[in-house]
Amino acid sequence: MHVNRRRFLTLSKRPQEGPWPAFCRRVQRALEAPLSDEQERDGYHSARIPLHHLGDLPSLRQLCQEYDVALVLDGTATEKSMIGRSCLIVESGQGLSGTEAIGDHACLALPGTTVAQMQALGYEQFSHVPPGLTLAQWLAMPQWHDCRPGCTASSGLERVHALFADGQTAVLGGFGVNDESPLRLPVLQKKIPLLFELLSDTDILRCLALPRWPLAYRLDALRPRLGDINLAQLFLGHGGTLIWCQELVIRRMPGNAIVTDLMLTEADQDWVAGVHNHIEGNIKAMFDPAGLFVYPDELSFAADNL
């Protein structure tokens, strides 16, 4: 059969690659890890991939931003809970597990380290936490943290090395008159003053007076009853919606003093239902205005703090 030159050149062209296949191909090449492309749902896609090296995280963040794909910590949201967008669910690979002692009473831990490993090292504040969770998941899930306002220090969390949605990184921890170094970090220069301004908001003041902290973001870490002000503890229970945890410094606590079972009255629950979206939305927009990470209403675990 005769085929003219123009027809031959047309036939020889490769089919144009769509955005999702291109995204998956580039992610798999960047991480050199197997990617599982899940079934499409309602025109949106999802995939899973293990992250073995923290050094691959910037490339992963950049690709998700470029293709408008949500970057999701495994265990916090699923493809079914995402609202109107595609997502990449990232699991902790073997290279993200391990601890390094800091003196006798603290350690530097990678985010894929399991709760079971921390329990074996004598970190008693983890005694009520499922052993199979990773530290990144423990940090993200509110139900494992002290629910009393101002008592975030009972977690033993001292520092978090965080990747922000815009690609900047910072080590967050203690903050006060003797250590204002976080204010010198570009990613935090505007955010920290705004967070402290929120503490004077009448709705936040009411939250601080409740028996149980009712919001997704722990602003009460900036008004502590126990310990000192700690910016890392702001992210206890954040659901993976504000930052990506790269490393943690955790202090061994004497016993487990964490309280998780306090309840709010029905009247307080009704009041919180009317204000939490506004407050949480402002904080989410402060840290992740483009929605690279999941939103609180996309979380799939039992995140009801009431």
Side-chain angles (χ1 to χ4, degrees):
M1 177 179 177
H2 176 71
V3 179
N4 64 35
R5 183 177 179 184
R6 179 174 296 177
R7 178 63 174 162
F8 174 79
L9 292 174
T10 301
L11 290 172
S12 65
K13 290 181 180 179
R14 296 179 60 182
Q16 186 175 5
E17 188 177 36
W20 179 253
F23 169 76
C24 291
R25 174 179 55 78
R26 292 181 65 185
V27 166
Q28 191 164 4
R29 185 173 63 187
L31 269 63
E32 296 183 349
L35 181 144
S36 174
D37 189 355
E38 306 291 338
Q39 186 175 0
E40 179 182 344
R41 290 176 55 88
D42 301 323
Y44 298 100
H45 302 266
S46 66
R48 287 179 171 269
I49 196 165
L51 178 67
H52 294 290
H53 308 288
L54 288 175
D56 293 332
L57 193 53
S59 297
L60 194 60
R61 186 210 66 83
Q62 178 63 40
L63 286 168
C64 285
Q65 181 184 57
E66 179 180 343
Y67 286 88
D68 194 23
V69 173
L71 184 58
V72 180
L73 172 66
D74 180 41
T76 61
T78 68
E79 67 279 1
K80 295 180 181 179
S81 67
M82 301 302 295
I83 301 173
R85 56 188 182 145
S86 298
C87 66
L88 179 66
I89 299 173
V90 180
E91 304 168 350
S92 291
Q94 293 181 349
L96 295 193
S97 177
T99 63
E100 179 182 338
I102 303 175
D104 295 329
H105 303 290
C107 71
L108 174 68
L110 291 174
T113 304
T114 64
V115 167
Q117 290 173 274
M118 301 302 292
Q119 292 170 342
L121 291 172
Y123 285 74
E124 296 181 21
Q125 68 262 42
F126 291 95
S127 61
H128 68 297
V129 184
L133 290 182
T134 66
L135 289 182
Q137 292 169 332
W138 163 80
L139 176 70
M141 296 179 178
Q143 58 266 48
W144 311 121
H145 304 296
D146 202 311
C147 66
R148 297 170 296 171
C151 296
T152 54
S154 62
S155 65
L157 180 67
E158 291 203 343
R159 293 186 183 87
V160 169
H161 184 197
L163 172 73
F164 293 87
D166 64 1
Q168 297 187 69
T169 64
V171 176
L172 306 168
F175 178 78
V177 294
N178 296 321
D179 184 9
E180 295 188 352
S181 57
L183 287 173
R184 293 193 290 271
L185 297 169
V187 71
L188 298 176
Q189 283 176 350
K190 294 182 179 180
K191 293 180 177 62
I192 292 177
L194 289 173
L195 290 170
F196 277 99
E197 284 180 20
L198 284 175
L199 292 177
S200 61
D201 182 275
T202 54
D203 289 335
I204 298 299
L205 291 173
R206 180 168 176 178
C207 289
L208 289 166
L210 294 174
R212 180 185 185 96
W213 181 255
L215 303 177
Y217 306 133
R218 299 299 299 257
L219 282 173
D220 58 313
L222 309 182
R223 187 70 63 84
R225 297 179 188 175
L226 303 175
D228 301 317
I229 294 172
N230 191 298
L231 296 173
Q233 293 163 18
L234 172 72
F235 301 99
L236 291 170
H238 76 113
T241 66
L242 298 182
I243 61 168
W244 195 274
C245 173
Q246 298 187 106
E247 292 173 309
L248 311 89
V249 173
I250 300 177
R251 178 165 295 278
R252 183 184 286 109
M253 302 300 287
N256 187 347
I258 293 173
V259 176
T260 61
D261 58 356
L262 299 179
M263 302 295 292
L264 296 183
T265 66
E266 186 173 342
D268 285 335
Q269 291 183 46
D270 291 341
W271 173 78
V272 170
V275 302
H276 79 96
N277 283 333
H278 172 69
I279 298 172
E280 293 166 0
N282 285 341
I283 297 174
K284 171 68 171 174
M286 189 186 306
F287 284 90
D288 183 17
L292 173 71
F293 304 130
V294 296
Y295 288 91
D297 59 354
E298 292 176 320
L299 298 174
S300 61
F301 57 77
D304 186 357
N305 276 340
L306 306 183

